[in-house]
Amino acid sequence: MLILNETMIGNAIEYKELTNCIEKAFIHYEDQKCLIPERFHLNFGNNTLLVMPAYEPTHFCTKLVTVNPENNKKGKTSIHGTVILNDSETGQPIALMNGATVTAARTGAIGSVAVRHLGKDYGDTLGIIGLGTQGFYQALFVSEEKKFRKVVIWDKNTERLIEFTSLLKAILPYTEIETVTKVEHLLEMSNIVICATTSDKPVLPDNEQLIKDKLYIGVGSFKPNMREFPDALPKLCSQIIIDTETAIHESGDIAYPIEHNLIERDNIIPFGKLLKNPKLLDNNKTRFFKTVGMAVFDLYAAKYIYAMAIKNGHGFTLNL
């Protein structure tokens, strides 16, 4: 079994190649080429254990993830986990990977696929709200997909703003990085906005004038009581795009608008369908893509990471 930690996974990844893999995962999921049961949630207080299996003809994987939002206050990462990759023919476990890093990378690639297909006609300023691990990987991946002149960032944690700015300036030396103290200022400047928080109430103002005519990508809320986006967003959208049907009841950002008649259920469309038939995408300039993640993304990311690690000699082996 090949063991891959955070650094080894990072060394194995090329952003656009992983984005291509995730794009393929969307299409294969839509074509029903994978077996993916609904993921299992075990909630204890504000903390969550997720169990996510997925199968396709050559490989299957299982991801175990814990999400402890209060860890940020303790100076610790809020997401921990492991991914086990198996050979489908023999069932043999062939790799054990740092699950938090796989999750962050594949979610960054999901955002990148969304920008690739939904964000072509938007401007050159990216706004990121929530500067944890997910926010960082979103910045890495989408900046590789689309060249932004400016990245505007906001987080309620001032220390995190300073740290995040330093990291981005080192990685994106030719991109202007601007911090703001109010979300309203971020909206005024940004064309594409990514939210990556675990908030239980909207982090954006309920102001249609500030909200309209932008692409929004939501990667944070994964429980029915979590919401990052205000009522104004679904009101302005004639269509909401989701990564998987489970988002309809897993995320408050989808469940709440349906329950309160802010958008019709028939106007919510899976991203895989759009990839196969781009004509389904409407012409509304206010767009909203919501991802809650699914195991097929972990499977395709793990397959790619494993192949690259073997090719480049990353990782170390463990005989069980």
Side-chain angles (χ1 to χ4, degrees):
M1 177 186 286
L2 188 69
I3 310 297
L4 296 168
N5 62 20
E6 178 181 2
T7 301
M8 296 165 185
I9 292 170
N11 290 337
I13 289 173
E14 293 185 13
Y15 299 142
K16 283 206 171 182
E17 286 192 8
L18 182 53
T19 297
N20 293 340
C21 289
I22 296 304
E23 182 177 274
K24 185 185 296 183
F26 271 113
I27 295 170
H28 285 187
Y29 173 70
E30 186 64 29
D31 289 338
Q32 299 183 340
K33 292 183 178 179
C34 315
L35 297 176
I36 308 152
E38 188 169 334
R39 64 184 176 185
F40 171 74
H41 284 237
L42 178 60
N43 298 312
F44 39 103
N46 291 327
N47 303 325
T48 304
L49 167 66
L50 304 172
V51 183
M52 303 170 63
Y55 171 91
E56 56 91 49
T58 63
H59 297 84
F60 64 89
C61 81
T62 307
K63 184 172 77 171
L64 302 175
V65 175
T66 56
V67 183
N68 293 58
E70 297 301 311
N71 279 3
N72 290 326
K73 297 178 182 178
K74 305 172 185 176
K76 296 183 179 181
T77 302
S78 61
I79 300 175
H80 295 277
T82 57
V83 171
I84 303 172
L85 182 66
N86 297 69
D87 179 277
S88 287
E89 183 177 353
T90 65
Q92 179 183 0
I94 56 176
L96 177 66
M97 305 181 189
N98 180 304
T101 307
V102 173
T103 300
R106 61 81 152 152
T107 307
I110 292 168
S112 186
V113 176
V115 168
R116 176 183 293 179
H117 292 278
L118 304 175
K120 292 178 182 178
D121 299 328
Y122 292 80
D124 59 0
T125 302
L126 170 69
I128 300 179
I129 297 171
L131 307 181
T133 301
Q134 292 290 356
F136 180 66
Y137 274 81
Q138 291 297 315
L140 293 183
F141 275 84
V142 302
S143 294
E144 186 71 18
E145 186 62 40
K146 182 181 174 78
K147 299 304 179 184
F148 292 97
R149 176 183 59 85
K150 179 189 287 190
V151 177
V152 185
I153 57 177
W154 178 87
D155 194 287
K156 61 183 180 181
N157 186 321
T158 304
E159 291 182 4
R160 195 177 297 159
L161 267 172
I162 297 170
E163 179 183 359
F164 201 90
T165 301
S166 298
L167 287 171
L168 283 190
K169 284 183 175 179
I171 294 169
L172 304 172
Y174 303 108
T175 303
E176 181 184 351
I177 311 299
E178 182 167 344
T179 64
V180 293
T181 56
K182 292 185 178 180
V183 173
E184 287 83 354
H185 295 161
L186 182 145
L187 289 174
E188 289 169 355
M189 289 186 278
S190 303
N191 312 114
I192 297 174
V193 177
I194 299 176
C195 280
T197 78
T198 55
S199 180
D200 59 1
K201 58 185 178 181
V203 295
L204 302 184
D206 195 22
N207 183 325
E208 291 190 11
Q209 287 301 310
L210 283 175
I211 295 291
K212 69 177 184 178
D213 298 339
K214 305 178 193 300
L215 167 62
Y216 294 89
I217 298 173
V219 304
S221 64
F222 60 92
K223 292 181 182 180
N225 66 318
M226 289 181 172
R227 287 183 70 205
E228 298 185 283
F229 299 96
D231 292 3
L233 180 56
K235 286 180 181 178
L236 290 166
C237 292
S238 52
Q239 192 177 63
I240 292 179
I241 303 155
I242 55 176
D243 60 344
T244 168
E245 293 285 341
T246 62
I248 291 170
H249 58 83
E250 282 191 355
S251 170
D253 278 318
I254 305 298
Y256 183 94
I258 294 175
E259 182 182 349
H260 291 81
N261 299 312
L262 301 178
I263 194 164
E264 295 293 329
R265 169 65 184 84
D266 291 343
N267 293 330
I268 297 174
I269 183 170
F271 195 24
K273 283 189 175 181
L274 283 181
L275 292 178
K276 295 192 66 178
N277 185 4
K279 292 181 180 179
L280 294 174
L281 182 64
D282 66 21
N283 294 319
N284 193 331
K285 291 184 68 178
T286 306
R287 291 179 179 168
F288 177 29
F289 168 70
K290 173 59 192 166
T291 173
V292 293
M294 55 180 168
V296 66
F297 301 136
D298 302 304
L299 174 56
Y300 277 68
K303 285 171 55 182
Y304 164 73
I305 293 166
Y306 175 73
M308 293 298 291
I310 292 293
K311 177 182 177 181
N312 296 316
H314 298 309
F316 57 92
T317 57
L318 176 67
N319 294 320
L320 297 179

